[in-house]
PDB file of all heavy atoms in Angstrom:
ATOM      1  N   ALA W 805      -2.851 -35.470  -2.843  1.00 86.00           N
ATOM      2  CA  ALA W 805      -2.292 -36.798  -2.586  1.00 86.00           C
ATOM      3  C   ALA W 805      -1.496 -36.810  -1.273  1.00 86.00           C
ATOM      4  O   ALA W 805      -1.630 -37.736  -0.457  1.00 86.00           O
ATOM      5  CB  ALA W 805      -1.395 -37.221  -3.748  1.00 86.00           C
ATOM      6  N   LEU W 806      -0.685 -35.766  -1.063  1.00 85.00           N
ATOM      7  CA  LEU W 806       0.118 -35.688   0.160  1.00 85.00           C
ATOM      8  C   LEU W 806      -0.764 -35.534   1.392  1.00 85.00           C
ATOM      9  O   LEU W 806      -0.510 -36.145   2.444  1.00 85.00           O
ATOM     10  CB  LEU W 806       1.104 -34.514   0.064  1.00 85.00           C
ATOM     11  CG  LEU W 806       2.259 -34.691  -0.937  1.00 85.00           C
ATOM     12  CD1 LEU W 806       3.022 -33.378  -1.101  1.00 85.00           C
ATOM     13  CD2 LEU W 806       3.217 -35.795  -0.469  1.00 85.00           C
ATOM     14  N   LEU W 807      -1.788 -34.709   1.276  1.00 84.00           N
ATOM     15  CA  LEU W 807      -2.686 -34.509   2.409  1.00 84.00           C
ATOM     16  C   LEU W 807      -3.523 -35.757   2.695  1.00 84.00           C
ATOM     17  O   LEU W 807      -3.845 -36.043   3.854  1.00 84.00           O
ATOM     18  CB  LEU W 807      -3.602 -33.307   2.150  1.00 84.00           C
ATOM     19  CG  LEU W 807      -2.891 -31.945   2.113  1.00 84.00           C
ATOM     20  CD1 LEU W 807      -3.847 -30.846   1.716  1.00 84.00           C
ATOM     21  CD2 LEU W 807      -2.249 -31.625   3.467  1.00 84.00           C
ATOM     22  N   PHE W 808      -3.848 -36.498   1.643  1.00 85.00           N
ATOM     23  CA  PHE W 808      -4.552 -37.763   1.832  1.00 85.00           C
ATOM     24  C   PHE W 808      -3.684 -38.733   2.631  1.00 85.00           C
ATOM     25  O   PHE W 808      -4.156 -39.384   3.585  1.00 85.00           O
ATOM     26  CB  PHE W 808      -4.921 -38.369   0.483  1.00 85.00           C
ATOM     27  CG  PHE W 808      -5.613 -39.702   0.589  1.00 85.00           C
ATOM     28  CD1 PHE W 808      -6.953 -39.788   0.919  1.00 85.00           C
ATOM     29  CD2 PHE W 808      -4.904 -40.882   0.391  1.00 85.00           C
ATOM     30  CE1 PHE W 808      -7.585 -41.018   1.036  1.00 85.00           C
ATOM     31  CE2 PHE W 808      -5.523 -42.119   0.504  1.00 85.00           C
ATOM     32  CZ  PHE W 808      -6.877 -42.181   0.823  1.00 85.00           C
ATOM     33  N   LEU W 809      -2.392 -38.815   2.262  1.00 86.00           N
ATOM     34  CA  LEU W 809      -1.465 -39.683   3.005  1.00 86.00           C
ATOM     35  C   LEU W 809      -1.332 -39.214   4.449  1.00 86.00           C
ATOM     36  O   LEU W 809      -1.255 -40.026   5.377  1.00 86.00           O
ATOM     37  CB  LEU W 809      -0.094 -39.694   2.320  1.00 86.00           C
ATOM     38  CG  LEU W 809      -0.022 -40.365   0.942  1.00 86.00           C
ATOM     39  CD1 LEU W 809       1.364 -40.176   0.329  1.00 86.00           C
ATOM     40  CD2 LEU W 809      -0.346 -41.853   1.059  1.00 86.00           C
ATOM     41  N   GLN W 810      -1.289 -37.877   4.637  1.00 83.00           N
ATOM     42  CA  GLN W 810      -1.170 -37.331   5.992  1.00 83.00           C
ATOM     43  C   GLN W 810      -2.404 -37.679   6.824  1.00 83.00           C
ATOM     44  O   GLN W 810      -2.282 -38.046   8.009  1.00 83.00           O
ATOM     45  CB  GLN W 810      -0.986 -35.812   5.922  1.00 83.00           C
ATOM     46  CG  GLN W 810      -0.641 -35.166   7.260  1.00 83.00           C
ATOM     47  CD  GLN W 810      -0.384 -33.677   7.126  1.00 83.00           C
ATOM     48  OE1 GLN W 810      -0.269 -33.156   6.029  1.00 83.00           O
ATOM     49  NE2 GLN W 810      -0.306 -32.995   8.250  1.00 83.00           N
ATOM     50  N   ALA W 811      -3.578 -37.558   6.223  1.00 83.00           N
ATOM     51  CA  ALA W 811      -4.812 -37.885   6.946  1.00 83.00           C
ATOM     52  C   ALA W 811      -4.855 -39.365   7.309  1.00 83.00           C
ATOM     53  O   ALA W 811      -5.215 -39.727   8.444  1.00 83.00           O
ATOM     54  CB  ALA W 811      -6.028 -37.516   6.094  1.00 83.00           C
ATOM     55  N   VAL W 812      -4.471 -40.226   6.354  1.00 83.00           N
ATOM     56  CA  VAL W 812      -4.450 -41.670   6.628  1.00 83.00           C
ATOM     57  C   VAL W 812      -3.476 -41.981   7.752  1.00 83.00           C
ATOM     58  O   VAL W 812      -3.765 -42.771   8.674  1.00 83.00           O
ATOM     59  CB  VAL W 812      -4.092 -42.450   5.346  1.00 83.00           C
ATOM     60  CG1 VAL W 812      -3.832 -43.920   5.671  1.00 83.00           C
ATOM     61  CG2 VAL W 812      -5.204 -42.329   4.317  1.00 83.00           C
ATOM     62  N   GLY W 813      -2.306 -41.346   7.708  1.00 84.00           N
ATOM     63  CA  GLY W 813      -1.301 -41.569   8.756  1.00 84.00           C
ATOM     64  C   GLY W 813      -1.787 -41.127  10.115  1.00 84.00           C
ATOM     65  O   GLY W 813      -1.599 -41.816  11.133  1.00 84.00           O
ATOM     66  N   ASN W 814      -2.426 -39.931  10.149  1.00 82.00           N
ATOM     67  CA  ASN W 814      -2.945 -39.425  11.422  1.00 82.00           C
ATOM     68  C   ASN W 814      -4.010 -40.355  12.011  1.00 82.00           C
ATOM     69  O   ASN W 814      -4.102 -40.523  13.238  1.00 82.00           O
ATOM     70  CB  ASN W 814      -3.547 -38.030  11.218  1.00 82.00           C
ATOM     71  CG  ASN W 814      -2.471 -36.964  11.034  1.00 82.00           C
ATOM     72  OD1 ASN W 814      -1.348 -37.115  11.512  1.00 82.00           O
ATOM     73  ND2 ASN W 814      -2.819 -35.898  10.332  1.00 82.00           N
ATOM     74  N   LEU W 815      -4.825 -40.941  11.129  1.00 80.00           N
ATOM     75  CA  LEU W 815      -5.863 -41.858  11.596  1.00 80.00           C
ATOM     76  C   LEU W 815      -5.300 -43.230  11.963  1.00 80.00           C
ATOM     77  O   LEU W 815      -5.898 -43.959  12.771  1.00 80.00           O
ATOM     78  CB  LEU W 815      -6.932 -42.020  10.502  1.00 80.00           C
ATOM     79  CG  LEU W 815      -7.754 -40.750  10.202  1.00 80.00           C
ATOM     80  CD1 LEU W 815      -8.589 -40.947   8.950  1.00 80.00           C
ATOM     81  CD2 LEU W 815      -8.644 -40.385  11.387  1.00 80.00           C
ATOM     82  N   TYR W 816      -4.148 -43.576  11.396  1.00 82.00           N
ATOM     83  CA  TYR W 816      -3.541 -44.877  11.683  1.00 82.00           C
ATOM     84  C   TYR W 816      -2.824 -44.878  13.035  1.00 82.00           C
ATOM     85  O   TYR W 816      -2.765 -45.905  13.733  1.00 82.00           O
ATOM     86  CB  TYR W 816      -2.554 -45.219  10.567  1.00 82.00           C
ATOM     87  CG  TYR W 816      -1.883 -46.558  10.700  1.00 82.00           C
ATOM     88  CD1 TYR W 816      -2.613 -47.730  10.929  1.00 82.00           C
ATOM     89  CD2 TYR W 816      -0.494 -46.673  10.613  1.00 82.00           C
ATOM     90  CE1 TYR W 816      -1.997 -48.961  11.055  1.00 82.00           C
ATOM     91  CE2 TYR W 816       0.141 -47.903  10.740  1.00 82.00           C
ATOM     92  CZ  TYR W 816      -0.607 -49.034  10.953  1.00 82.00           C
ATOM     93  OH  TYR W 816       0.008 -50.260  11.078  1.00 82.00           O
ATOM     94  N   LEU W 817      -2.310 -43.730  13.456  1.00 81.00           N
ATOM     95  CA  LEU W 817      -1.545 -43.647  14.708  1.00 81.00           C
ATOM     96  C   LEU W 817      -2.367 -44.045  15.941  1.00 81.00           C
ATOM     97  O   LEU W 817      -1.862 -44.779  16.811  1.00 81.00           O
ATOM     98  CB  LEU W 817      -0.969 -42.237  14.879  1.00 81.00           C
ATOM     99  CG  LEU W 817       0.223 -41.888  13.963  1.00 81.00           C
ATOM    100  CD1 LEU W 817       0.615 -40.428  14.128  1.00 81.00           C
ATOM    101  CD2 LEU W 817       1.425 -42.791  14.289  1.00 81.00           C
ATOM    102  N   PRO W 818      -3.628 -43.593  16.098  1.00 81.00           N
ATOM    103  CA  PRO W 818      -4.402 -44.039  17.270  1.00 81.00           C
ATOM    104  C   PRO W 818      -4.604 -45.554  17.320  1.00 81.00           C
ATOM    105  O   PRO W 818      -4.631 -46.148  18.412  1.00 81.00           O
ATOM    106  CB  PRO W 818      -5.743 -43.308  17.099  1.00 81.00           C
ATOM    107  CG  PRO W 818      -5.429 -42.115  16.283  1.00 81.00           C
ATOM    108  CD  PRO W 818      -4.362 -42.545  15.340  1.00 81.00           C
ATOM    109  N   THR W 819      -4.720 -46.187  16.144  1.00 81.00           N
ATOM    110  CA  THR W 819      -4.868 -47.642  16.107  1.00 81.00           C
ATOM    111  C   THR W 819      -3.613 -48.314  16.652  1.00 81.00           C
ATOM    112  O   THR W 819      -3.681 -49.270  17.445  1.00 81.00           O
ATOM    113  CB  THR W 819      -5.136 -48.115  14.668  1.00 81.00           C
ATOM    114  OG1 THR W 819      -6.320 -47.475  14.185  1.00 81.00           O
ATOM    115  CG2 THR W 819      -5.324 -49.623  14.618  1.00 81.00           C
ATOM    116  N   LEU W 820      -2.442 -47.795  16.213  1.00 79.00           N
ATOM    117  CA  LEU W 820      -1.175 -48.344  16.725  1.00 79.00           C
ATOM    118  C   LEU W 820      -1.062 -48.109  18.223  1.00 79.00           C
ATOM    119  O   LEU W 820      -0.585 -48.988  18.974  1.00 79.00           O
ATOM    120  CB  LEU W 820       0.006 -47.692  15.993  1.00 79.00           C
ATOM    121  CG  LEU W 820       0.164 -48.029  14.498  1.00 79.00           C
ATOM    122  CD1 LEU W 820       1.315 -47.221  13.892  1.00 79.00           C
ATOM    123  CD2 LEU W 820       0.419 -49.523  14.319  1.00 79.00           C
ATOM    124  N   ASN W 821      -1.486 -46.944  18.672  1.00 80.00           N
ATOM    125  CA  ASN W 821      -1.430 -46.628  20.098  1.00 80.00           C
ATOM    126  C   ASN W 821      -2.325 -47.568  20.898  1.00 80.00           C
ATOM    127  O   ASN W 821      -1.943 -48.061  21.985  1.00 80.00           O
ATOM    128  CB  ASN W 821      -1.858 -45.172  20.305  1.00 80.00           C
ATOM    129  CG  ASN W 821      -1.671 -44.726  21.744  1.00 80.00           C
ATOM    130  OD1 ASN W 821      -0.631 -44.977  22.349  1.00 80.00           O
ATOM    131  ND2 ASN W 821      -2.677 -44.077  22.295  1.00 80.00           N
ATOM    132  N   ALA W 822      -3.524 -47.874  20.362  1.00 78.00           N
ATOM    133  CA  ALA W 822      -4.437 -48.808  21.035  1.00 78.00           C
ATOM    134  C   ALA W 822      -3.836 -50.204  21.094  1.00 78.00           C
ATOM    135  O   ALA W 822      -3.953 -50.913  22.111  1.00 78.00           O
ATOM    136  CB  ALA W 822      -5.771 -48.830  20.297  1.00 78.00           C
ATOM    137  N   ASN W 823      -3.161 -50.624  20.014  1.00 80.00           N
ATOM    138  CA  ASN W 823      -2.536 -51.949  19.980  1.00 80.00           C
ATOM    139  C   ASN W 823      -1.422 -52.072  21.003  1.00 80.00           C
ATOM    140  O   ASN W 823      -1.239 -53.120  21.623  1.00 80.00           O
ATOM    141  CB  ASN W 823      -2.011 -52.254  18.577  1.00 80.00           C
ATOM    142  CG  ASN W 823      -3.134 -52.471  17.574  1.00 80.00           C
ATOM    143  OD1 ASN W 823      -4.255 -52.786  17.971  1.00 80.00           O
ATOM    144  ND2 ASN W 823      -2.840 -52.297  16.295  1.00 80.00           N
ATOM    145  N   ILE W 824      -0.637 -50.987  21.165  1.00 80.00           N
ATOM    146  CA  ILE W 824       0.442 -51.015  22.162  1.00 80.00           C
ATOM    147  C   ILE W 824      -0.145 -51.256  23.561  1.00 80.00           C
ATOM    148  O   ILE W 824       0.374 -52.048  24.356  1.00 80.00           O
ATOM    149  CB  ILE W 824       1.252 -49.703  22.126  1.00 80.00           C
ATOM    150  CG1 ILE W 824       2.161 -49.678  20.902  1.00 80.00           C
ATOM    151  CG2 ILE W 824       2.095 -49.551  23.394  1.00 80.00           C
ATOM    152  CD1 ILE W 824       2.999 -48.426  20.787  1.00 80.00           C
ATOM    153  N   ILE W 825      -1.259 -50.545  23.853  1.00 82.00           N
ATOM    154  CA  ILE W 825      -1.868 -50.679  25.190  1.00 82.00           C
ATOM    155  C   ILE W 825      -2.495 -52.064  25.358  1.00 82.00           C
ATOM    156  O   ILE W 825      -2.264 -52.761  26.365  1.00 82.00           O
ATOM    157  CB  ILE W 825      -2.913 -49.570  25.408  1.00 82.00           C
ATOM    158  CG1 ILE W 825      -2.230 -48.201  25.425  1.00 82.00           C
ATOM    159  CG2 ILE W 825      -3.684 -49.796  26.713  1.00 82.00           C
ATOM    160  CD1 ILE W 825      -3.186 -47.034  25.452  1.00 82.00           C
ATOM    161  N   ASN W 826      -3.302 -52.474  24.353  1.00 76.00           N
ATOM    162  CA  ASN W 826      -4.039 -53.738  24.477  1.00 76.00           C
ATOM    163  C   ASN W 826      -3.137 -54.965  24.392  1.00 76.00           C
ATOM    164  O   ASN W 826      -3.303 -55.929  25.134  1.00 76.00           O
ATOM    165  CB  ASN W 826      -5.120 -53.831  23.396  1.00 76.00           C
ATOM    166  CG  ASN W 826      -6.219 -52.794  23.584  1.00 76.00           C
ATOM    167  OD1 ASN W 826      -6.455 -52.331  24.692  1.00 76.00           O
ATOM    168  ND2 ASN W 826      -6.902 -52.424  22.502  1.00 76.00           N
ATOM    169  N   ASN W 827      -2.163 -54.937  23.475  1.00 79.00           N
ATOM    170  CA  ASN W 827      -1.344 -56.128  23.222  1.00 79.00           C
ATOM    171  C   ASN W 827       0.050 -56.063  23.805  1.00 79.00           C
ATOM    172  O   ASN W 827       0.778 -57.060  23.799  1.00 79.00           O
ATOM    173  CB  ASN W 827      -1.225 -56.359  21.703  1.00 79.00           C
ATOM    174  CG  ASN W 827      -2.579 -56.515  21.032  1.00 79.00           C
ATOM    175  OD1 ASN W 827      -3.507 -57.056  21.623  1.00 79.00           O
ATOM    176  ND2 ASN W 827      -2.702 -56.017  19.797  1.00 79.00           N
TER     177      ASN W 827
END
Side-chain angles (χ1 to χ4, degrees):
L806 290 171
L807 293 174
F808 178 78
L809 292 174
Q810 189 176 349
V812 170
N814 286 334
L815 293 170
Y816 182 50
L817 286 174
T819 302
L820 292 176
N821 187 46
N823 290 338
I824 285 180
I825 295 172
N826 294 335
N827 302 326

